[in-house]
Each structure stands twice: as structure tokens, then as C-alpha cells.
Amino acid sequence: MCMPAKDKTIPSLIKWTGSKRKQAPLIAREAKSYNRYFEPFLGGGALLFLFAHEGAVASDIYKPLINLWKLIQSEPEEVISDYTEKWNALNVEYKQLQLNHIKNSNGLPKVFYDCRSRFNKTHNPLDLNFIMRTCVNGIVRFNGEGEFNNSFHLSRQGMKPEMFAKNVRIWHERIKGVYFECQSYEETLAQAKEGDFVYFDPPYADSHNRYIKDLDLQNFFTELDKLNSRNISWALSFDGSRAGTNYFSDMPKELYKRKLSLSNGNSAVSKILNSKQEEVTESLYLNYN
Ligand SMILES: C[S@@+](CC[C@H](N)C(=O)[O-])C[C@H]1O[C@@H](n2cnc3c(N)ncnc32)[C@H](O)[C@@H]1O
């Protein structure tokens, strides 16, 4: 049986909206020992860093994201050199923008916007990596056509390549034995057995357009119920509150045994939408005591 690692911080790797990087060590403290780990709403996989062991299954419905995970696993040096090349080109252009005192740089820097257009045509995971790291507040956002539409973060240039390289190599070591799958969460759950542990971080009910796919809540609750009858332990990050306003969904009481409230720091999404920072807390539901 395995237990999660005890690291207090998670190296930043894949920028993903709704990331659990800050909460991950708190959530890991609540885990039971487990045989295999399953993370069916992977995103930036903050929990995966602590829970990954041989045979873990990590999945997401969004293909370019899973392709990026697979590249970090199989070709870390290619991921590093691609980011370094793009970052260096961006840096040259960025310095030029500053020299020319361009404040309203519509369509600039070209390195970022060309990369974004290319990604929206080809879905190359390396392009996704670069625009995620350099867009406004690192917020991954799509329009109705599923195109990445966040802009360049004018006052930041993204993580320095040396730091990025270090983080990629650390993560690469951690995820060596993990199976990455692009599939819907139900397919992933079908592989879980008694003794396994599942961590869920589904999209918020109100997160339309932030991710590629919204969640059918009734179907999701049915899947949790099935896990309960198969004696599979799970933890679920779900609803919560932001700046004193509650965003609770009707989580059926018979599905879980414990509910905790964890702080997730300030909301990057609300910061960009309302230009103010708001304290966010999220609920963690557990189906065991
Ligand atoms: C809140 S994010 C996960 C964030 C992650 N815990 C982290 O730390 O970065 C939710 C993820 O669920 C994925 N998703 C949405 N609907 C899905 C579905 N039906 N099956 C599998 N994944 C889905 C989205 O693509 C998104 O990456």
C-alpha cells in the first residue's frame, strides 16, 4: 500500500485554472493508504505530484493537455528546449517593446500571438505550454469555439527557462510510472478497484467556457455512488465560497462521510474579472472517516 509524499510545496509545471497547488499538501494529509492512485480530472495535476506511484492513472478529457503530460514523461529535454527557445525569442521582442515604450501593444508580442494562433489550428502541446506560461495571470481560457483566447501578460514574461527546466526534471522523475489517458472520467473510474484511491477535482458548476467541457452533476453523483458500493475511497474538491459568497452545489449527504473547508488563497479568476483579490475556500468531501 502507498501513502502520498510529504512535500510542502509543489513545483510549478503546468499552469491550469483551478490548480490545487496550494491545497495539495493539506488534501494529502487526509488521504488513506492506497493501492493505485486515480486522478480523473487531471488539469495541472497538483495532487499527482504527491500521490504518483507506479501504476497510477491520470486522465483528462482535454487532449492537448494529456499530450503535454505524455511529453514531459517521455521527452522532458524536448519540452525544456522548446520553452527556452520561445522564451528567448519573446525576451528579445519584449525588450524592444519596452525600449519603444509601447503601452497598448495590440497583437504584440508576435511570438506569443503567433504561438496562440498556431495552437488554435494544430493543438501542439508545446505551444499550449508556452501560452499557458505567458498569458494574463496564467489563466487558461477558451471561447465558444474551444479556442484559447487569453492575452499576453504585458508586465510578465513567464518563468525563466532555468527554473522551468528544473521543475520539468523534478516532475519527470515523479511521473515515471503513471499512465496518462485522454478520456472522460467515467472511463477512468471503470478501471478502479477496491483498495484504490480517487481524487476528484471537477470543473465548478459555474465554470462554463473556462474548460472545454462542463459537468453533468447527476451523472457525476451516480458515479460517486457506484464507487461507494465498490468500496473505493475518494476525496472530492468541489464547491466553496469566494469573498463571503457561497457557491455550494447540492452534494447529496448520503454520498460522503466527512466535509472539510480548505483555503485556496486568492482567486486569480476573480482578480482578472473584477480587478480585486478575493479569498477563496473550497470544500473537500471524503467518503471515509
Ligand atoms: C478544476 S480542473 C483540475 C485542476 C487540477 N486539479 C490542478 O491542480 O490543476 C478540471 C479538469 O477537468 C477536465 N474535465 C472536464 N470535464 C471532464 C470530463 N467529463 N472527464 C474528464 N475530465 C474532464 C477539464 O479539462 C479540467 O482539466
PDB file of all heavy atoms in Angstrom, residues 23-39:
ATOM      1  N   GLN A  23      -3.367  23.898  -1.984  1.00  0.00           N
ATOM      2  CA  GLN A  23      -4.088  22.998  -1.076  1.00  0.00           C
ATOM      3  C   GLN A  23      -3.533  21.585  -1.037  1.00  0.00           C
ATOM      4  O   GLN A  23      -3.878  20.819  -0.142  1.00  0.00           O
ATOM      5  CB  GLN A  23      -5.526  22.837  -1.546  1.00  0.00           C
ATOM      6  CG  GLN A  23      -6.395  24.017  -1.347  1.00  0.00           C
ATOM      7  CD  GLN A  23      -7.816  23.654  -1.784  1.00  0.00           C
ATOM      8  OE1 GLN A  23      -8.160  22.507  -1.991  1.00  0.00           O
ATOM      9  NE2 GLN A  23      -8.638  24.672  -1.903  1.00  0.00           N
ATOM     10  N   ALA A  24      -2.746  21.220  -2.045  1.00  0.00           N
ATOM     11  CA  ALA A  24      -2.373  19.806  -2.214  1.00  0.00           C
ATOM     12  C   ALA A  24      -1.815  19.160  -0.940  1.00  0.00           C
ATOM     13  O   ALA A  24      -2.266  18.077  -0.558  1.00  0.00           O
ATOM     14  CB  ALA A  24      -1.400  19.657  -3.386  1.00  0.00           C
ATOM     15  N   PRO A  25      -0.860  19.810  -0.226  1.00  0.00           N
ATOM     16  CA  PRO A  25      -0.338  19.154   0.983  1.00  0.00           C
ATOM     17  C   PRO A  25      -1.423  18.946   2.050  1.00  0.00           C
ATOM     18  O   PRO A  25      -1.407  17.939   2.758  1.00  0.00           O
ATOM     19  CB  PRO A  25       0.738  20.131   1.482  1.00  0.00           C
ATOM     20  CG  PRO A  25       1.127  20.918   0.264  1.00  0.00           C
ATOM     21  CD  PRO A  25      -0.134  21.060  -0.532  1.00  0.00           C
ATOM     22  N   LEU A  26      -2.383  19.873   2.130  1.00  0.00           N
ATOM     23  CA  LEU A  26      -3.477  19.722   3.108  1.00  0.00           C
ATOM     24  C   LEU A  26      -4.368  18.546   2.734  1.00  0.00           C
ATOM     25  O   LEU A  26      -4.787  17.753   3.579  1.00  0.00           O
ATOM     26  CB  LEU A  26      -4.354  20.989   3.152  1.00  0.00           C
ATOM     27  CG  LEU A  26      -3.675  22.276   3.599  1.00  0.00           C
ATOM     28  CD1 LEU A  26      -4.629  23.459   3.468  1.00  0.00           C
ATOM     29  CD2 LEU A  26      -3.209  22.138   5.048  1.00  0.00           C
ATOM     30  N   ILE A  27      -4.654  18.431   1.435  1.00  0.00           N
ATOM     31  CA  ILE A  27      -5.508  17.327   0.973  1.00  0.00           C
ATOM     32  C   ILE A  27      -4.791  15.994   1.193  1.00  0.00           C
ATOM     33  O   ILE A  27      -5.385  15.016   1.652  1.00  0.00           O
ATOM     34  CB  ILE A  27      -5.888  17.523  -0.517  1.00  0.00           C
ATOM     35  CG1 ILE A  27      -6.700  18.814  -0.679  1.00  0.00           C
ATOM     36  CG2 ILE A  27      -6.679  16.318  -1.040  1.00  0.00           C
ATOM     37  CD1 ILE A  27      -7.015  19.196  -2.117  1.00  0.00           C
ATOM     38  N   ALA A  28      -3.489  15.976   0.897  1.00  0.00           N
ATOM     39  CA  ALA A  28      -2.714  14.727   1.041  1.00  0.00           C
ATOM     40  C   ALA A  28      -2.738  14.230   2.485  1.00  0.00           C
ATOM     41  O   ALA A  28      -2.716  13.029   2.733  1.00  0.00           O
ATOM     42  CB  ALA A  28      -1.282  14.955   0.565  1.00  0.00           C
ATOM     43  N   ARG A  29      -2.798  15.167   3.436  1.00  0.00           N
ATOM     44  CA  ARG A  29      -2.831  14.765   4.858  1.00  0.00           C
ATOM     45  C   ARG A  29      -4.073  13.956   5.199  1.00  0.00           C
ATOM     46  O   ARG A  29      -4.106  13.220   6.171  1.00  0.00           O
ATOM     47  CB  ARG A  29      -2.805  16.021   5.741  1.00  0.00           C
ATOM     48  CG  ARG A  29      -1.432  16.579   5.927  1.00  0.00           C
ATOM     49  CD  ARG A  29      -1.243  17.289   7.248  1.00  0.00           C
ATOM     50  NE  ARG A  29      -2.362  18.118   7.658  1.00  0.00           N
ATOM     51  CZ  ARG A  29      -2.276  19.421   7.925  1.00  0.00           C
ATOM     52  NH1 ARG A  29      -1.144  20.049   7.788  1.00  0.00           N
ATOM     53  NH2 ARG A  29      -3.333  20.103   8.327  1.00  0.00           N
ATOM     54  N   GLU A  30      -5.134  14.144   4.403  1.00  0.00           N
ATOM     55  CA  GLU A  30      -6.409  13.465   4.685  1.00  0.00           C
ATOM     56  C   GLU A  30      -6.516  12.126   3.968  1.00  0.00           C
ATOM     57  O   GLU A  30      -7.525  11.442   4.103  1.00  0.00           O
ATOM     58  CB  GLU A  30      -7.590  14.352   4.242  1.00  0.00           C
ATOM     59  CG  GLU A  30      -7.622  15.731   4.862  1.00  0.00           C
ATOM     60  CD  GLU A  30      -7.776  15.685   6.381  1.00  0.00           C
ATOM     61  OE1 GLU A  30      -8.375  14.729   6.890  1.00  0.00           O
ATOM     62  OE2 GLU A  30      -7.239  16.603   7.048  1.00  0.00           O
ATOM     63  N   ALA A  31      -5.477  11.783   3.189  1.00  0.00           N
ATOM     64  CA  ALA A  31      -5.586  10.564   2.359  1.00  0.00           C
ATOM     65  C   ALA A  31      -5.458   9.293   3.180  1.00  0.00           C
ATOM     66  O   ALA A  31      -4.798   9.261   4.215  1.00  0.00           O
ATOM     67  CB  ALA A  31      -4.503  10.580   1.283  1.00  0.00           C
ATOM     68  N   LYS A  32      -6.114   8.236   2.701  1.00  0.00           N
ATOM     69  CA  LYS A  32      -5.921   6.895   3.278  1.00  0.00           C
ATOM     70  C   LYS A  32      -4.808   6.213   2.483  1.00  0.00           C
ATOM     71  O   LYS A  32      -4.507   6.623   1.367  1.00  0.00           O
ATOM     72  CB  LYS A  32      -7.198   6.083   3.054  1.00  0.00           C
ATOM     73  CG  LYS A  32      -8.301   6.414   4.013  1.00  0.00           C
ATOM     74  CD  LYS A  32      -9.540   5.627   3.674  1.00  0.00           C
ATOM     75  CE  LYS A  32      -9.394   4.151   4.004  1.00  0.00           C
ATOM     76  NZ  LYS A  32     -10.671   3.454   4.126  1.00  0.00           N
ATOM     77  N   SER A  33      -4.223   5.157   3.043  1.00  0.00           N
ATOM     78  CA  SER A  33      -3.241   4.429   2.241  1.00  0.00           C
ATOM     79  C   SER A  33      -3.987   3.753   1.085  1.00  0.00           C
ATOM     80  O   SER A  33      -5.172   3.438   1.201  1.00  0.00           O
ATOM     81  CB  SER A  33      -2.486   3.414   3.088  1.00  0.00           C
ATOM     82  OG  SER A  33      -3.386   2.483   3.591  1.00  0.00           O
ATOM     83  N   TYR A  34      -3.282   3.566  -0.004  1.00  0.00           N
ATOM     84  CA  TYR A  34      -3.970   3.112  -1.213  1.00  0.00           C
ATOM     85  C   TYR A  34      -3.081   2.197  -2.037  1.00  0.00           C
ATOM     86  O   TYR A  34      -1.857   2.182  -1.887  1.00  0.00           O
ATOM     87  CB  TYR A  34      -4.404   4.326  -2.058  1.00  0.00           C
ATOM     88  CG  TYR A  34      -3.271   5.276  -2.381  1.00  0.00           C
ATOM     89  CD1 TYR A  34      -2.561   5.197  -3.572  1.00  0.00           C
ATOM     90  CD2 TYR A  34      -2.884   6.263  -1.472  1.00  0.00           C
ATOM     91  CE1 TYR A  34      -1.514   6.063  -3.857  1.00  0.00           C
ATOM     92  CE2 TYR A  34      -1.833   7.131  -1.750  1.00  0.00           C
ATOM     93  CZ  TYR A  34      -1.151   7.019  -2.945  1.00  0.00           C
ATOM     94  OH  TYR A  34      -0.105   7.864  -3.222  1.00  0.00           O
ATOM     95  N   ASN A  35      -3.743   1.476  -2.884  1.00  0.00           N
ATOM     96  CA  ASN A  35      -3.028   0.584  -3.785  1.00  0.00           C
ATOM     97  C   ASN A  35      -2.609   1.379  -5.029  1.00  0.00           C
ATOM     98  O   ASN A  35      -1.453   1.685  -5.228  1.00  0.00           O
ATOM     99  CB  ASN A  35      -3.959  -0.592  -4.110  1.00  0.00           C
ATOM    100  CG  ASN A  35      -3.273  -1.640  -4.928  1.00  0.00           C
ATOM    101  OD1 ASN A  35      -2.063  -1.590  -5.120  1.00  0.00           O
ATOM    102  ND2 ASN A  35      -4.027  -2.583  -5.429  1.00  0.00           N
ATOM    103  N   ARG A  36      -3.605   1.781  -5.851  1.00  0.00           N
ATOM    104  CA  ARG A  36      -3.288   2.639  -7.003  1.00  0.00           C
ATOM    105  C   ARG A  36      -3.995   3.982  -6.848  1.00  0.00           C
ATOM    106  O   ARG A  36      -5.079   4.058  -6.265  1.00  0.00           O
ATOM    107  CB  ARG A  36      -3.765   1.987  -8.299  1.00  0.00           C
ATOM    108  CG  ARG A  36      -2.848   0.899  -8.795  1.00  0.00           C
ATOM    109  CD  ARG A  36      -3.378   0.310 -10.072  1.00  0.00           C
ATOM    110  NE  ARG A  36      -4.787  -0.042  -9.957  1.00  0.00           N
ATOM    111  CZ  ARG A  36      -5.585  -0.282 -10.994  1.00  0.00           C
ATOM    112  NH1 ARG A  36      -5.131  -0.188 -12.214  1.00  0.00           N
ATOM    113  NH2 ARG A  36      -6.860  -0.616 -10.801  1.00  0.00           N
ATOM    114  N   TYR A  37      -3.379   5.017  -7.417  1.00  0.00           N
ATOM    115  CA  TYR A  37      -3.954   6.362  -7.353  1.00  0.00           C
ATOM    116  C   TYR A  37      -4.615   6.700  -8.690  1.00  0.00           C
ATOM    117  O   TYR A  37      -4.036   6.459  -9.752  1.00  0.00           O
ATOM    118  CB  TYR A  37      -2.845   7.375  -7.046  1.00  0.00           C
ATOM    119  CG  TYR A  37      -3.322   8.807  -7.059  1.00  0.00           C
ATOM    120  CD1 TYR A  37      -4.233   9.270  -6.117  1.00  0.00           C
ATOM    121  CD2 TYR A  37      -2.877   9.704  -8.036  1.00  0.00           C
ATOM    122  CE1 TYR A  37      -4.680  10.581  -6.140  1.00  0.00           C
ATOM    123  CE2 TYR A  37      -3.311  11.020  -8.055  1.00  0.00           C
ATOM    124  CZ  TYR A  37      -4.220  11.448  -7.099  1.00  0.00           C
ATOM    125  OH  TYR A  37      -4.666  12.749  -7.126  1.00  0.00           O
ATOM    126  N   PHE A  38      -5.810   7.303  -8.629  1.00  0.00           N
ATOM    127  CA  PHE A  38      -6.531   7.725  -9.834  1.00  0.00           C
ATOM    128  C   PHE A  38      -6.850   9.209  -9.739  1.00  0.00           C
ATOM    129  O   PHE A  38      -7.402   9.662  -8.731  1.00  0.00           O
ATOM    130  CB  PHE A  38      -7.866   6.958  -9.966  1.00  0.00           C
ATOM    131  CG  PHE A  38      -7.694   5.552 -10.428  1.00  0.00           C
ATOM    132  CD1 PHE A  38      -7.212   4.582  -9.570  1.00  0.00           C
ATOM    133  CD2 PHE A  38      -8.011   5.192 -11.730  1.00  0.00           C
ATOM    134  CE1 PHE A  38      -7.031   3.270  -9.996  1.00  0.00           C
ATOM    135  CE2 PHE A  38      -7.843   3.893 -12.172  1.00  0.00           C
ATOM    136  CZ  PHE A  38      -7.348   2.931 -11.305  1.00  0.00           C
ATOM    137  N   GLU A  39      -6.530   9.947 -10.802  1.00  0.00           N
ATOM    138  CA  GLU A  39      -6.911  11.373 -10.847  1.00  0.00           C
ATOM    139  C   GLU A  39      -7.603  11.643 -12.182  1.00  0.00           C
ATOM    140  O   GLU A  39      -6.943  11.919 -13.195  1.00  0.00           O
ATOM    141  CB  GLU A  39      -5.685  12.274 -10.632  1.00  0.00           C
ATOM    142  CG  GLU A  39      -6.116  13.714 -10.431  1.00  0.00           C
ATOM    143  CD  GLU A  39      -5.044  14.642  -9.881  1.00  0.00           C
ATOM    144  OE1 GLU A  39      -4.030  14.166  -9.336  1.00  0.00           O
ATOM    145  OE2 GLU A  39      -5.233  15.861 -10.017  1.00  0.00           O
TER     146      GLU A  39
END
